[in-house]
């Protein structure tokens, strides 16, 4: 403790010094970034695609606080818990920043005794992970979650979640993708028939989860070396986890002499078959792969799990290639709400989370490469003047336009040069200029200039709003 | 320190116990709330009004991380600094949750060497204040900020900020309001001529800031008792701070024998006069009050300051009346960006922050009182079946509709009763039901039911999408 205190005091002293010298480190915290206007324009496009899809599927929307009581998050994330950001104890409650949107959702359901809801939630979550920002891995990042809670007939909501991922990834045109699907019950049944002791299910599951990043040999040696699994059990797992396919693989495994004897695996495989039938009706099995190596890191999954990965890297000419990675994931978590209910009442849930930082990275790089110009404002008209001493007239006109709902700007100068005003339109993409001058004022007109064509027309002042609307309408 | 450690250990022990027993406190942290679907519908309406206005004025949008380096926030908030949420030191950088959006904006400008921008930013900020949630005072709350940065001719951007507040509060129809305006230079000049020592300017300013909540007598005794101001100086301040009015008050104070001798006050009054001239051109002086008691708590203001308050409480029949309070505020802060620049280069800024929690409270209470039903989804059609064994057909049809961009839902049951399906539409406001049945399938049609009129029409399957679009279009 003395050491801790000394460290703190040292830091305080450092801080104090910095203050005195007015020497600041000008940066955002590690693993975080600002979004400038251009990035925001891309972000809005992605959000719009995702929100449209969630609304198309009839979801309501909720929001929860950025932090939760620390104990709300405790015991939900397995080995990942060490990545949770805690707040300092400043008296009062112990708080942590949310690690995902699923646990706050389950807390919300239990707290409000909601047993039936379909909702989406788009918000930032926080993980003290090792950032790799060029590849879209941040410590502060957005999740876009869609979840269906309620007691329903099997696999219908689960199939809808996969349909949603398929719709969003198709809509965003990120290139080819595959959605890997598995089931925690199949994994657990597989662990059982391979001879993994019950107590090691979760930790072996975490090892399997690494298979998308490291080769099997490394995962195997973690299982045997670090986690004390017998080499024979590991090898048996190794045979299963290389399997992936479609309906025919499910049928084969349903006949597998060992797996078919295991109750959990049989249940999982039966549901997986049903899921594939529904996905066939949705016409999306072409991009779905039943993959026994898919494990998902989080503790709370109880049934179907899935993860979407982009298959080809987009900008092959970019020097540092984008790593192809997971852009969406989710699954069924039937026990999580019950962990919050005083009487343990369960609310079955299934949901999907779209991770948009990687998608941003791809779209950002693509945009830079394309040199497409994106507007960062929606301004329809610049109110300008050709002569001096017309500030008051510009203020009057712009005020009329704002009050009529027109998006209008002006330069904040008393006597701006016309050339500077026109240049501002070129730079920011404003399509029209409304020019006031002595003569126009006398005549009761405004000169409307179309920036693209340099055409100029005199418009009667009372028709100006309508004229601007017509000339800037998209339809 | 020993005491602190003991407290922590006790808390840890408690936490440990709770974990063991699976006894969770089911709540959100103090001063925070969840937003359910209905609250979110209100929130979206308010956001849309505010964002429309910001875009109408040509603003770009940015976003910054929820936390900043602790030192970024140090020395910016005066006496309010104690309300900042710090994160726990988990190794690495010391972080704090943002206290407002202004300091992160200034950090963003300095870091990216931006000297000219008009942007908005809507995000949550965090203050360890005493919450009064029924009155819309939270520890986690939204701010909607619009700021103009750059070297411009005096008072033009400042006037636009006030115009924006006027537009938004008018648009939201919250009842009558007034926007109080003052200037830090007038305040400082006033303090000087009243005999307040330079070193006490900021702390006396904080006392004056309390005048909207506590009577003058109390503020006076804080000045004299706690802050060691002479009773004579306090009494002189007391005379000034009861003044409020318009252009005529500005003219009078420009002639005030004491104030007119003070350089700062004279500058401030001159600019205030110019501001009122511009506001007259905007036609909004009717709701603007030049008020010498307005001080604003934050340290960083250097010129014009303002605050909008609602004048009449809305629901006069509500048992616990809403306290009438500030819903927007802002001002000029010409020195803040320079505090972050290694060479102290200044970027003049003026901005406004709309605090929407109070606005929410009012609109929420109004909605409850009105018993208006608001839809929380946009679903156009429910895909239903009248007979059993048609799940596959429903899945096929709904998939067609989704792919055509129609917002569609279905019940997640294999064989739902028609009555339950119709009831779901009544409950959630879905206007149409697309009913598949054996006969319809044979005939290549879908039965479309209009929920409001109970009318039913057979629509050819290939025309269904178009028919749904026509029947649910708003235009």
């Amino acid at each position: 403790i003395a050491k801790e205190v000394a460290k703190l005091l040292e830091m305080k002293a450092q801080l104090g010094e910095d203050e005195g010298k007015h020497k600041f480190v000008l940066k955002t915290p590690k693993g975080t970034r600002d979004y400038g206007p251009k990035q925001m324009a891309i972000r809005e496009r992605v959000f719009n695609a995702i929100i449209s899809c969630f609304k198309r599927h009839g979801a309501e929307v909720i929001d929860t606080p950025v932090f939760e009581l620390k104990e709300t998050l405790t015991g939900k994330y397995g080995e990942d818990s060490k990545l949770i950001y805690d707040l300092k104890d400043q008296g009062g409650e112990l708080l942590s920043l949310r690690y995902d949107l699923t646990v706050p959702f389950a807390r919300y359901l239990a707290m409000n005794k909601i047993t039936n809801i379909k909702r989406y939630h788009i918000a930032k979550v926080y993980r003290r992970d090792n950032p790799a920002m060029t590849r879209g891995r941040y410590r502060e990042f957005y999740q876009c979650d869609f979840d269906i809670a309620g007691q329903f007939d099997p696999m219908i909501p689960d199939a809808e979640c996969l349909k949603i991922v398929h719709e969003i990834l198709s809509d965003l045109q990120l290139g080819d993708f595959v959605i890997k699907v598995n089931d925690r019950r199949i994994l657990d049944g597989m662990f059982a028939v391979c001879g993994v002791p019950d107590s090691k299910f979760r930790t072996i599951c975490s090892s399997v989860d690494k298979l998308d990043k490291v080769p099997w040999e490394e995962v195997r040696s973690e299982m045997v070396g670090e986690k004390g699994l017998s080499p024979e059990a590991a090898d048996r797992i190794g045979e299963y986890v290389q399997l992936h396919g479609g309906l025919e693989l499910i049928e084969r495994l349903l006949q597998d002499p060992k797996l078919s004897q295991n109750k959990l695996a049989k249940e999982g495989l039966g549901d997986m078959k049903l899921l594939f039938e529904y996905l066939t009706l949705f016409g999306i099995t072409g991009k779905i792969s039943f993959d026994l190596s898919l494990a998902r890191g989080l503790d709370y999954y109880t049934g179907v799990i899935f993860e979407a990965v982009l298959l080809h890297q987009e900008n092959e000419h970019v020097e540092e290639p984008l790593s192809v990675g997971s852009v969406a994931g989710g699954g069924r978590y039937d026990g999580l709400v019950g962990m919050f209910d005083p009487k343990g009442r369960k609310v079955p849930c299934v949901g999907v989370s779209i991770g948009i930082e990687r998608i941003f990275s791809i779209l950002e790089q693509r945009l830079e490469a394309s040199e497409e110009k994106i507007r960062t404002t929606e301004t329809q008209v610049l109110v300008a003047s050709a002569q001096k001493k017309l500030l008051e007239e510009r203020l009057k006109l712009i005020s009329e336009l704002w009050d009529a709902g027109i998006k209008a700007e002006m330069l904040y100068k008393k006597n701006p040069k016309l050339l500077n005003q026109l240049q501002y339109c070129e730079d920011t993409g404003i399509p029209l200029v409304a020019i006031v001058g002595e003569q126009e004022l006398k005549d009761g007109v405004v000169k409307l200039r179309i920036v693209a064509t340099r055409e100029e027309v005199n418009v009667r002042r009372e028709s100006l709003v309508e004229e601007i609307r017509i000339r800037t309408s998209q339809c």
Side-chain angles (χ1 to χ4, degrees), chain A residues 64-258:
Chain A
T64 65
V66 79
F67 42 58
E68 295 279 343
L69 298 185
K70 185 177 167 58
E71 54 178 329
T72 298
L73 306 191
T74 305
K76 309 297 187 304
Y77 299 108
E79 295 180 4
D80 289 347
S81 296
K82 61 183 185 295
L83 304 179
I84 294 173
Y85 277 97
D86 293 328
L87 269 75
K88 193 168 149 185
D89 180 12
Q90 292 170 291
E93 300 160 335
L94 291 178
L95 307 174
S96 302
L97 297 185
R98 61 184 163 209
Y99 181 83
D100 65 9
L101 303 178
T102 310
V103 168
F105 175 53
R107 191 266 307 144
Y108 171 79
L109 294 185
M111 194 173 131
N112 296 287
K113 299 194 172 49
I114 296 167
T115 55
N116 205 318
I117 193 174
K118 178 165 55 186
R119 79 89 184 84
Y120 72 91
H121 186 189
I122 295 183
K124 288 173 177 174
V125 300
Y126 299 87
R127 303 187 181 176
R128 290 171 41 76
D129 218 333
N130 268 331
M133 318 224 294
T134 51
R135 285 184 284 160
R137 277 171 58 107
Y138 291 87
R139 288 182 158 198
E140 173 185 62
F141 59 99
Y142 267 99
Q143 287 197 332
C144 307
D145 279 26
F146 172 99
D147 293 80
I148 300 170
Q151 186 68 58
F152 301 117
D153 282 329
M155 295 298 117
I156 312 178
D158 314 60
E160 186 169 0
C161 288
L162 292 169
K163 177 81 170 93
I164 283 174
V165 176
H166 192 277
E167 283 179 23
I168 290 172
L169 295 184
S170 305
D171 193 16
L172 289 172
Q173 298 180 289
L174 299 165
D176 207 9
F177 61 90
V178 66
I179 310 174
K180 297 180 192 171
V181 185
N182 198 1
D183 192 300
R184 273 285 163 89
R185 291 167 298 173
I186 299 175
L187 276 169
D188 285 355
M190 177 183 93
F191 293 148
V193 304
C194 291
V196 178
D198 284 19
S199 61
K200 288 198 160 71
F201 273 18
R202 284 287 75 80
T203 182
I204 293 302
C205 195
S206 290
S207 298
V208 170
D209 187 44
K210 293 170 187 161
L211 274 174
D212 56 338
K213 289 177 207 105
V214 298
W216 164 249
E217 275 316 309
E218 227 169 281
V219 170
R220 184 184 181 281
S221 80
E222 178 182 298
M223 287 178 176
V224 177
E226 279 174 47
K227 301 193 171 170
L229 190 66
S230 76
E232 297 74 27
D235 290 336
R236 270 176 238 132
I237 292 172
E239 276 173 44
Y240 280 116
V241 294
Q242 57 184 297
L243 301 176
H244 53 94
L247 208 44
E248 74 298 335
L249 175 61
I250 302 168
E251 301 282 8
R252 213 174 82 207
L253 291 177
L254 274 169
Q255 309 301 326
D256 183 281
K258 282 181 291 174

